[in-house]
Structure formats: C-alpha cells, structure tokens
Amino acid sequence: MSTWANLGLQDSASPLMEQLIFFHDHALLILVMITVLVGYLMFMLFFNSYVNRFLLHGQLIEMIWTILPAIILLFIALPSLRLLYLLDEINEPSVTLKSIGHQWYWSYEYSDFNNIEFDSYMIPTNELAIDGFRLLDVDNRVILPMNSQIRILVTAADVIHSWTIPALGVKVDGTPGRLNQTNFFINRPGLFYGQCSEICGANHSFMPIVIESVPVNYFIKWISKNN
Amino acid sequence: MSLIPCLRGRNLFQMTRRGFASGGDLIRLMVADREVVGYGINGRPIYFDSPDCPFPAIRYREVNPELCALREKELDDWKKLSLDEKKQLYRHSFCQTYAEFQHFTPEWKLCLGVALWVVALGIGISISMKTLVYRKLPDTFDDEHQSAQLRRIIQLQMNPITGISSKWCYHENKWK
C-alpha cells in the first residue's frame, strides 16, 4: 500500500515487480543524466558571449550527437525487451482466481475448490475501525497462497473495470464478454491493496481490491473451512 | 556610392538616393539622406546596434553641413581632432557606444515583481478556497486515527524493503 508522501513505486511483493522496479530505476538514471547534461548546456548559454555568424556545419560533432543517442537507446531497449519477454513466460499456475467487476464492487470465484464465491465491497468511511485504511479496506479480502504461481481471469458484468495490485505489478482490464488472463507470484505474506483502474461510474474510486497473502497451509485451511 | 558625398556635391547624392526611394521601397524611404557605408548584416540599408554586427550598412545620422566640414578635417592628421570632434564623428555614424547598448537594464525588476504578484495571487486563491470552499477533512486524518493506522502499517510490515517498515526496528520495537 502507498504510505504517506510516497512518491515512488511501492515495494515489490513479486519477482516480476522487482524486475520492473530495477528497469524503472535504470531508465530513470539515464534520463536524469541526459536532463542534467541538457540543463547544464542551457544554463551555460547565459554566460556565453561568443558569436559565429558564419557557422554552417560541423561534421564530427553531428556524427557524435547522432551515434551517441542511438547507443543510449540501445542501453534502454535491450533491458526493456528482456523484461517484456520475461513477463510473458509460461509457467504452471497452482491456483486459479476469477475476478468479476461490477458497479461498484468486485466478486471472486475459486472454481478449483468447490466453487467458493464471494463479493468484496469497500468498507464505508463511517463504518471503518480506528486503524482502518480509508477507501482501501474491504469486507472480504482475496486470500491467496504465497510462493505459488497464481492465474487470474478478469472480466466484468456491466462496464469495463480494471483489476490492479501495484505491489505485484499486475493490472488487467475486465471487459464485459471477455476473459483476460494473467499470472503472478507473491513472495511475501501480508496485505496488498489496489483500486479499480478504469472509469466505471460514480463510485469508481470506491471499489478497492485487497489481497491477503498467507502461507500455503493456511490457505488450505481456509479453503477447507469455506467448503 | 561615395564615402564622402560632400566632396561630390550634395545634389547628385540626393538624386541618387531619391531615385531608389521613388521606386516605392519603404526601407529606402526610411534611409532618407543617410549614407550607405557597407553590407551590414543582410545587405539591406538598415541601422541597428549589435555586438555581433559591429558595422551597420548605413550611418546613423543624415548628412549635414557641419559634418562635411568635420569630414574634411578628418582627412588630415587625427591628432589635430579634439576629443569632442572625435565623439561627434562617432555619434554621426553610430547611435550608441558598446557600453551603452550592452548595459544591463533594470527590466528584471519589473519581471520579478509581476511574477511575485502572480505567485501571491495563486497563494491567496488557494488559501481562500481552503477556508471558504472545501469541506472538513474526514475523521481518518486526525492524529488518533493516523497513529492507529501507522501502528497497523508497521504490524503488517508494509513496504519493508525501502519503505516505512524498513525504518522500524522490530527487535527493539522503536524507530531505527
């Protein structure tokens, strides 16, 4: 979850999100270096009183400032493509979760296990406990096992919604009449929050998502209890 | 074209100049009786002071009889010219000296003043919006709720790598 004055990305709870954070830091470092260089050049213009009215071209410097950006772009493109293909890797999920977006709540189905289904509504601010997170806490959380590959199928019942958990690097649109699939892996226990990310009406900001990541044996116990 | 037209005869000079002007060229009308003395920056007979084009295409002032006398004196030894006469000759050909047209202007004070006024207006608008328009913040913003939430964040170990929980020492139960 984002805490107060959080400017950057949330700490990752998934190996793919870790890689996304590394790539983001790498690309941002390159961008900062370019910005500092250009800013310095612009700043020094204030103090330059030289004039050359007859300047036409400079072949060497033009070659340099064409080839150097191409090399810099290679340094960005190669890690980016590596990560792009890493995100699409095939793996064998052990749990499948179905998430259906409604106006204005999410419903979840665990069809692997005797059809466990429930709705997940946001807890209104006036009913929140003293340590509740406003606009984030829900009545029924999504319980998932940690250190297991999880498949999620997202769809919607009425208008387009979008299911997202920033800490896991997952965002999937739920479109009515369509099933969108993605995989993720949670590598630590805890609560992970997200909010609907596709405008869907008046209460679009009030249909959050909460994942409770638990050890596998706890997950099995929970499944058995809810059978 | 002559550098010292007074030696050739003023009438001839005027006829030459006005011959171009009667063709309808506006720039040449503005040139009037001023001598063309070079190419300038683009060949047009325009006067301007600029450090990167030290010699404009035309002199600054028009030809007059006092100047003609000075020009004849200029042909002789320069040591015979007084400082005032040298300055007159300069001011005939040029509008300002380098020191005058490169001088720092006080324009920045106006710009800074306007910018600060705009900033003050913006601050005034935000304060009045906060006082008159916005509703009260929800209860979860008060200290009691925030400290309860912070306790829960630490217990849940949220953002434990570089975020808020990484600053808490779980052994000693206090901030690092």
Side-chain angles (χ1 to χ4, degrees):
Chain A
M1 181 182 96
S2 277
T3 47
W4 297 284
N6 202 7
L7 287 175
L9 299 164
Q10 293 177 28
D11 283 348
S12 64
S14 161
L16 286 176
M17 187 59 196
E18 264 174 46
Q19 291 296 314
L20 283 165
I21 291 173
F22 293 154
F23 175 70
H24 167 267
D25 291 347
H26 167 78
L28 192 60
L29 182 68
I30 294 175
L31 291 177
V32 164
M33 288 196 295
I34 294 169
T35 308
V36 164
L37 172 68
V38 173
Y40 170 76
L41 291 172
M42 287 166 69
F43 179 71
M44 290 312 286
L45 272 177
F46 277 111
F47 307 108
N48 179 32
S49 45
Y50 293 134
V51 174
N52 182 352
R53 287 188 292 130
F54 308 108
L55 186 63
L56 291 172
H57 55 72
Q59 302 281 17
L60 179 62
I61 195 173
E62 287 179 17
M63 287 266 285
I64 292 170
W65 71 36
T66 307
I67 290 171
L68 212 56
I71 296 171
I72 292 172
L73 283 173
L74 267 177
F75 273 93
I76 298 175
L78 293 177
S80 174
L81 286 169
R82 171 191 155 266
L83 188 52
L84 186 67
Y85 285 96
L86 199 62
L87 292 167
D88 278 343
E89 276 203 351
I90 314 269
N91 42 48
E92 221 179 287
S94 40
V95 176
T96 300
L97 171 72
K98 287 194 212 117
S99 164
I100 300 116
H102 305 261
Q103 279 176 316
W104 286 282
Y105 62 98
W106 292 94
S107 64
Y108 300 99
E109 294 173 17
Y110 295 72
S111 313
D112 299 334
F113 312 101
N114 287 345
N115 274 329
I116 297 171
E117 292 178 18
F118 56 87
D119 296 338
S120 178
Y121 280 83
M122 181 188 88
I123 298 176
T125 309
N126 51 8
E127 293 172 26
L128 213 49
I130 194 167
D131 58 0
F133 301 125
R134 190 178 70 97
L135 308 185
L136 284 174
D137 271 325
V138 295
D139 51 5
N140 301 315
R141 299 185 202 121
V142 181
I143 316 276
L144 288 171
M146 57 182 259
N147 290 334
S148 314
Q149 205 66 34
I150 294 155
R151 173 198 284 126
I152 182 165
L153 297 161
V154 184
T155 185
D158 34 47
V159 295
I160 305 180
H161 300 269
S162 187
W163 194 91
T164 176
I165 305 282
L168 303 176
V170 175
K171 187 176 287 187
V172 191
D173 274 10
T175 307
R178 183 185 169 85
L179 281 177
N180 286 327
Q181 175 185 290
T182 193
N183 285 357
F184 57 88
F185 183 98
I186 315 176
N187 59 15
R188 58 183 167 96
L191 293 183
F192 305 108
Y193 291 83
Q195 290 172 295
C196 178
S197 298
E198 186 65 44
I199 185 81
C200 52
N203 287 349
H204 155 69
S205 316
F206 309 113
M207 45 183 294
I209 301 136
V210 186
I211 286 182
E212 185 176 334
S213 166
V214 295
V216 182
N217 48 345
Y218 281 84
F219 176 73
I220 294 169
K221 238 188 264 182
W222 176 78
I223 290 283
S224 325
K225 210 166 41 161
N226 283 290
N227 262 347
Chain B
M1 172 174 90
S2 166
L3 288 173
I4 310 164
C6 354
L7 293 181
R8 268 211 191 167
R10 191 180 160 84
N11 285 336
L12 181 63
F13 176 71
Q14 281 183 336
M15 273 161 55
T16 317
R17 290 253 56 76
R18 295 232 164 98
F20 283 106
S22 65
D25 190 338
L26 180 63
I27 291 174
R28 301 230 178 236
L29 276 171
M30 286 163 65
V31 166
D33 276 339
R34 298 189 280 177
E35 300 170 64
V36 177
V37 291
Y39 185 78
I41 201 148
N42 58 0
R44 287 177 172 243
I46 297 168
Y47 181 85
F48 57 88
D49 286 313
S50 172
D52 52 317
C53 182
F55 303 113
I58 54 175
R59 295 200 195 279
Y60 182 56
R61 294 195 194 286
E62 294 180 354
V63 176
N64 54 48
E66 296 88 32
L67 177 76
C68 286
L70 255 179
R71 286 256 177 254
E72 290 205 27
K73 201 172 173 190
E74 197 190 8
L75 290 172
D76 208 349
D77 190 1
W78 285 347
K79 290 195 180 73
K80 292 188 186 152
L81 288 168
S82 69
L83 186 61
D84 251 341
E85 284 168 338
K86 286 178 195 168
K87 283 184 181 176
Q88 250 186 300
L89 281 166
Y90 180 89
R91 290 290 174 180
H92 182 83
S93 295
F94 301 101
C95 175
Q96 289 182 305
T97 62
Y98 266 71
E100 284 166 6
F101 67 70
Q102 286 187 317
H103 202 267
F104 205 55
T105 61
E107 202 183 349
W108 67 273
K109 295 176 192 171
L110 175 67
C111 299
L112 185 65
V114 170
L116 289 173
W117 266 106
V118 171
V119 167
L121 187 67
I123 293 173
I125 290 174
S126 356
I127 293 175
S128 42
M129 292 278 282
K130 178 90 178 88
T131 325
L132 304 168
V133 175
Y134 296 146
R135 276 182 286 227
K136 200 170 74 76
L137 286 172
D139 290 336
T140 51
F141 279 75
D142 60 39
D143 287 337
E144 198 191 342
H145 283 85
Q146 284 203 11
S147 49
Q149 285 173 45
L150 180 57
R151 197 176 309 119
R152 189 173 168 217
I153 284 169
I154 291 169
Q155 283 169 355
L156 286 167
Q157 295 189 30
M158 290 193 164
N159 293 330
I161 302 157
T162 57
I164 197 163
S165 299
S166 64
K167 315 277 188 282
W168 180 262
C169 178
Y170 284 93
H171 293 298
E172 291 167 44
N173 232 16
K174 58 178 189 171
W175 292 111
K176 284 185 186 161

